[in-house]
Every structure is written in C-alpha cells, then in structure tokens.
C-alpha cells in the first residue's frame, strides 16, 4: 500500500513539473460550445420535442455578412438543443440571428478573445448577450434556456 501511495505521489509530482516552466508540447483548449434549449414559454416544453418546431428549419445567420453559420442539433439526450461551437477559435466579435422557419427566435452577440499563456491557448468570452428573447443562463456552463411564445 505504501508503494502505491509513493508511486501516485511520484507521478503527480512528475506531471506538475512537466506542466510548469518548460512546455514539452502544445497545449490546446478549444473554445466552449454554446448550447441553446428552446422552450415554450407557457408550458416549459421543448419546442422540438413537442413538435412545435422542426429541427430541419433551423438557420443561423451571421448578421454582419448574411452567411449561414454551422451548428449542431443535439437530440436523444433528453434535451433537444442547438449547439454552436464555431465561436472563439480566434479573437472575434459575432452577431448571429437564430431562426426557425420564418420565426426569428433570438439574436446572439459574442465578443470572444483567443489568448495564449502558460503554454496553452484558450478562449474567454468578454461579452455574451442574447436579445429579443427571454432566457435563463446556467452560470459555469454556456447553457441557455430560451423561452418563446408559440
């Protein structure tokens, strides 16, 4: 048992040392994805799960250049939600409109900054705003519940 504890301590010290002053290889942290669950304001039900909206009608548009933005639709997890993981790979400001069919659900503004330090690159969100919709935000995660009137 004592040898196991000494071994764990040795490995821990070795890992901490390799992460400190010298970088032996690239360290990369991708930007956090943004998740949006769209809920019926009156019932609290997910608008994709209850059939109010069709996931195939989701379009996300960059308001600055009118180009469509890549996103993922996550289903089968108990939550049907939209995931955007294209923001923050570089320092940028984005203005997106999230539409389902002919309905503008909300607009998203993000000021993302890509930084490097301690041998790692990472992204911070200096500002993140949702407009034209009521929502809640799970602090600590980039998970938003957007409330719409059906």
């Amino acid at each position: 048992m004592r040898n196991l504890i000494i071994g764990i301590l040795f490995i821990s010290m070795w890992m901490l040392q390799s992460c400190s002053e010298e970088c032996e290889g690239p360290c990369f942290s991708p930007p956090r994805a943004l998740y949006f669950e769209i809920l019926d304001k009156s019932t609290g039900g997910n608008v994709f799960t209850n059939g109010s909206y069709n996931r195939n009608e989701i379009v996300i548009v960059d308001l600055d250049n009118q180009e469509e933005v890549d996103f993922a639709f996550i289903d089968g997890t108990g939550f049907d939600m939209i995931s955007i993981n294209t923001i923050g790979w570089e320092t940028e400001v984005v203005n997106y409109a999230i539409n389902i069919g002919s309905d503008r659900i909300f607009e998203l503004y993000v000021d993302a900054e890509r930084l490097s330090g301690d041998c790692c690159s990472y992204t911070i969100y200096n500002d993140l705003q949702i407009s034209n919709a009521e929502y809640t935000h799970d602090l600590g995660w980039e998970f938003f519940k957007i409330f719409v009137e059906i």
Side-chain angles (χ1 to χ4, degrees), residues 88-118:
W89 291 94
E90 59 189 37
T91 296
E92 63 184 331
V93 173
V94 300
N95 291 293
Y96 292 165
I98 291 71
N99 304 311
I100 304 174
S102 61
D103 295 336
R104 167 107 6 124
I105 304 302
F106 65 96
E107 293 176 7
L108 174 66
Y109 169 88
V110 180
D111 175 359
E113 186 175 1
R114 192 75 183 159
L115 300 169
S116 294
D118 296 331

Side-chain angles (χ1 to χ4, degrees), residues 116-127:
S116 294
D118 296 331
C119 306
C120 292
S121 59
Y122 56 95
T123 299
I124 60 169
Y125 296 128
N126 294 317
D127 193 12

Side-chain angles (χ1 to χ4, degrees), residues 23-95:
C23 301
E24 294 187 18
C27 173
F28 177 77
S29 296
R32 293 178 304 217
L34 305 176
Y35 300 96
F36 304 94
E37 183 180 19
I38 315 298
L39 303 172
D40 182 328
K41 184 178 178 180
S42 62
T43 67
N46 185 296
V47 299
F48 300 107
T49 304
N50 70 19
S52 298
Y53 283 114
N54 182 335
R55 70 186 238 175
N56 296 322
E57 294 180 339
I58 301 169
V59 177
I60 301 177
V61 177
D62 185 324
L63 293 172
D64 295 331
N65 60 22
Q66 299 305 308
E67 292 182 9
E68 288 190 19
V69 175
D70 289 333
F71 68 93
F73 186 82
I74 301 171
D75 61 359
T77 60
F79 302 101
D80 290 330
M81 68 182 79
I82 299 166
S83 171
I84 302 175
N85 61 2
T86 56
I87 300 171
W89 291 94
E90 59 189 37
T91 296
E92 63 184 331
V93 173
V94 300
N95 291 293

